[in-house]
Amino acid sequence: MVAAIRDAAFAVDAAAVMKLLATRPQLLALGEPVHGEDDLLALRNDLFRELVEREHFRIIAIESDCLMGLVVDEYVTSGTGTLDEVMERGFSHGFGAFAGNRELVRWMRDYNDGRPASEQLRFAGFDGPLEISGAASPRQALTGLHAYLAARVDADELPCPAGLLDDLLGADQRWMNPAAMMDPSQSVGRTPEAERLRRLADELVALLDERAPHLLATSSREEWERARLYGRTATGLLEYHFWMAEPSPIRMNRLLAQRESMMAANLVALAERGPTLAHGHNGHLQRDESSMDTADAPLEWASAGMHVASQLADRYKLITTAVGTIRHRGVDAPPADTVEGILYGVPLDRYLVDARRLGALLDGASPTARVSPWFGYSPLDPANVASNDALVFVRDVAAS
């Protein structure tokens, strides 16, 4: 088994990745089993540089707030702000503190400096404006969409004036109340004001779609794409807040599913703009359903990758990353009867394999699922190996 895997292993680079893929992807996803490890972020950065230089990729999307990502994109394209400011304001989930993300942003800015807009690299977040502690106010998305439309259509075509949106939104703190994450009664997602905002958001998005030919003729593609992002985010956030106010046991399942749906919509929109590398957790990018065991009942929902694969078909390609050890997190050498244990037996520091070929090799071994001693690391599911296009194995992840 080890010899067969060794013979099928490639170096982890863009040339090997493209050789493994049957068709050229419009969206190439690189998953990771754990966030924030510099070795894995450096691998991503190296691969993106090669995809830019060899395969003419121009967009990278990471699992971070899609609206905050606009701050990063503006910096890498025009130099607005400072690198320190951008790392603080342009990332959610604390990802701005990761050295690998800082290096990515610095390199993209250096690459873009002096290049025409058509040749510049673009940065995007593909997550919703969501944190474990709650969800953002829909103000930025709603008012941004309204402002775009108000500047280009007659006032009587708009469903409401901007002032009404502000009145209905009220204070942003109402929407961002962390108590609402655990207590549905603390959520404003089903108040009369929120219900009206949901209807108005739908009407604004409908107007954006209906007037698309006119709007594209009177604004730049860039402005149009940002308005679409505002529309997706406004409707998605209001739906998320709606389910935060749900008192029944289906609440958590719907929140998890809504987040994945928002991620998928952003990824598909980015793929429409050009070849894109997406980087996020394996669990979001996988083609299989996601699941979670809770005290009440097991939860299952469609992952973002499952949504994207159903829409992009062969234009979506997925590379999953697996690791052997993360010793500074208490994750020691994997048991020999797990997928990671078998891969760990190959005497290479990191390598790339065809996931479907690997799945066929593993069939006879019937590997067991690895159990992680640390909550932040998600091992491979042996049943899902062959649903990936390729797999990167990193033998040892060093402390950052």
Side-chain angles (χ1 to χ4, degrees), residues 114-154:
R115 293 179 188 266
S118 60
E119 297 178 12
Q120 288 190 340
L121 307 181
R122 305 302 298 267
F123 179 95
F126 69 83
D127 202 352
L130 309 170
E131 293 282 0
I132 293 174
S133 59
S137 163
R139 181 182 305 279
Q140 181 182 353
L142 271 173
T143 57
L145 175 58
H146 188 281
Y148 171 83
L149 290 167
R152 294 166 179 84
V153 303
D154 294 337

Side-chain angles (χ1 to χ4, degrees), residues 39-383:
D39 282 351
L40 302 186
L41 295 177
L43 184 153
R44 175 205 64 189
N45 293 351
D46 290 345
L47 180 60
F48 182 56
R49 289 189 191 100
E50 292 174 1
L51 289 168
V52 167
E53 292 162 0
R54 293 178 54 97
E55 303 296 335
H56 308 294
F57 275 58
R58 288 293 178 267
I59 304 170
I60 187 167
I62 75 165
E63 186 192 322
S64 182
D65 183 331
C66 56
L67 298 186
M68 296 177 80
L70 297 173
V71 174
V72 184
D73 187 59
E74 190 169 0
Y75 174 77
V76 300
T77 55
S78 67
T80 302
T82 68
L83 182 56
D84 286 343
E85 291 168 346
V86 167
M87 299 313 296
E88 181 178 352
R89 296 174 44 237
F91 292 83
S92 58
H93 316 320
F95 290 173
F98 299 156
N101 286 338
R102 186 182 184 90
E103 173 58 22
L104 171 69
V105 174
R106 186 204 60 75
W107 177 79
M108 291 178 69
R109 176 63 202 139
D110 288 348
Y111 182 95
N112 284 343
D113 192 23
R115 293 179 188 266
S118 60
E119 297 178 12
Q120 288 190 340
L121 307 181
R122 305 302 298 267
F123 179 95
F126 69 83
D127 202 352
L130 309 170
E131 293 282 0
I132 293 174
S133 59
S137 163
R139 181 182 305 279
Q140 181 182 353
L142 271 173
T143 57
L145 175 58
H146 188 281
Y148 171 83
L149 290 167
R152 294 166 179 84
V153 303
D154 294 337
D156 58 4
E157 294 185 78
L158 294 167
C160 67
L164 178 59
L165 292 179
D166 284 328
D167 291 343
L168 293 171
L169 284 161
D172 287 342
Q173 287 74 14
R174 298 169 61 238
W175 298 90
M176 300 162 62
N177 177 11
M181 196 67 239
M182 302 304 296
D183 182 358
S185 69
Q186 298 293 313
S187 172
V188 298
R190 296 191 182 183
T191 59
E193 294 84 1
E195 294 288 0
R196 183 144 185 220
L197 284 168
R198 290 179 78 202
R199 292 193 298 273
L200 290 172
D202 288 342
E203 291 176 32
L204 287 168
V205 171
L207 180 60
L208 184 70
D209 292 340
E210 290 165 11
R211 298 302 308 275
H214 165 74
L215 295 169
L216 282 166
T218 57
S219 62
S220 68
R221 188 80 195 189
E222 186 74 20
E223 292 168 325
W224 162 254
E225 292 291 355
R226 181 169 295 199
R228 291 180 67 204
L229 171 62
Y230 284 148
R232 292 192 303 273
T233 307
T235 55
L237 262 180
L238 286 163
E239 183 74 6
Y240 193 90
H241 281 288
F242 176 85
W243 287 109
M244 284 185 73
E246 169 62 45
S248 79
I250 69 169
R251 176 180 188 261
M252 187 55 65
N253 212 105
R254 294 307 297 262
L255 290 174
L256 293 165
Q258 177 62 16
R259 182 188 180 197
E260 300 292 329
S261 179
M262 293 173 71
M263 287 184 171
N266 286 330
L267 288 169
V268 170
L270 289 166
E272 291 174 1
R273 292 169 53 183
T276 300
L277 176 67
H279 184 251
H281 199 280
N282 288 335
H284 295 305
L285 298 172
Q286 65 185 7
R287 288 191 176 94
D288 305 283
E289 264 197 333
S290 297
S291 62
M292 178 190 297
D293 289 327
T294 69
D296 297 326
L299 303 178
E300 293 184 347
W301 63 95
S303 65
M306 196 174 185
H307 283 290
V308 172
S310 70
Q311 296 178 62
L312 297 184
D314 281 349
R315 293 181 296 153
Y316 180 59
K317 300 297 182 183
L318 173 61
I319 307 170
T320 289
T321 302
V323 302
T325 73
I326 319 175
R327 297 188 194 278
H328 58 285
R329 303 293 190 184
V331 181
D332 292 323
D337 62 347
T338 63
V339 176
E340 290 90 345
I342 294 168
L343 296 172
Y344 195 73
V346 177
L348 296 171
D349 290 335
R350 71 181 197 183
Y351 57 93
L352 176 76
V353 291
D354 183 321
R356 291 178 174 83
R357 183 174 178 183
L358 176 62
L361 289 172
L362 292 173
D363 271 349
S366 300
T368 61
R370 186 182 191 183
V371 177
S372 173
W374 175 49
F375 74 94
Y377 160 63
S378 300
L380 289 172
D381 182 343

